Amino acid sequence: MTNIPALSEKQDALLAQHAVEQAQLARVESLARTMDAAFMIPGTKIPLGVDTIVGLVPGIGDTVSLGIAAYIASHGIGLKAKKHHMIRMGWNIFLDWLIGLVPVIGDILDIGWRGNLRNAALLRRISEDRWVKERADVGIIDHV
């Protein structure tokens, strides 16, 4: 015999947890947009972020951006990202930092790389995939 009230409590708890994670993802995505695509270059459709602007300050700007990128990726731990996802986010951060070290050309290339947005999108994908599995495990059917 199935204990329906207990299942309902599990479902409610899981949905509440996912709502908290959804809010966390929204904050991460907002920060990533600020860093990588907050503004448009006037007269173009090319997004420009704070990362590119502070990257113009040699050494210091890229280090500040590195810290913020690490903060974004650190949310992967709370969102239960697997080790290979964390390694991939670390690689994205490393490439973003490395590209940014090259004066002027690095800043131009950095506009196209957008490592923070890549990591935020990766966190979104892995979280949503996990949510589907977790919801199915407790009998919640997602209609996508």
Side-chain angles (χ1 to χ4, degrees), residues 6-7 19 25 29 35 43 57 73-74 105 116 125 132 137:
L7 185 59
L25 277 170
E29 289 167 335
M35 292 304 292
V57 180
S74 74
I105 294 170
N116 295 305
R125 277 192 311 277
V132 168
D137 288 348

Side-chain angles (χ1 to χ4, degrees), residues 86-114:
M86 296 301 294
I87 291 170
R88 184 170 171 193
M89 286 188 286
W91 179 249
N92 287 341
I93 292 168
F94 174 74
L95 286 178
D96 193 38
W97 174 77
L98 188 64
I99 289 168
L101 288 178
V102 180
V104 184
I105 294 170
D107 296 311
I108 293 168
L109 293 175
D110 192 43
I111 293 170
W113 177 247
R114 294 180 254 183

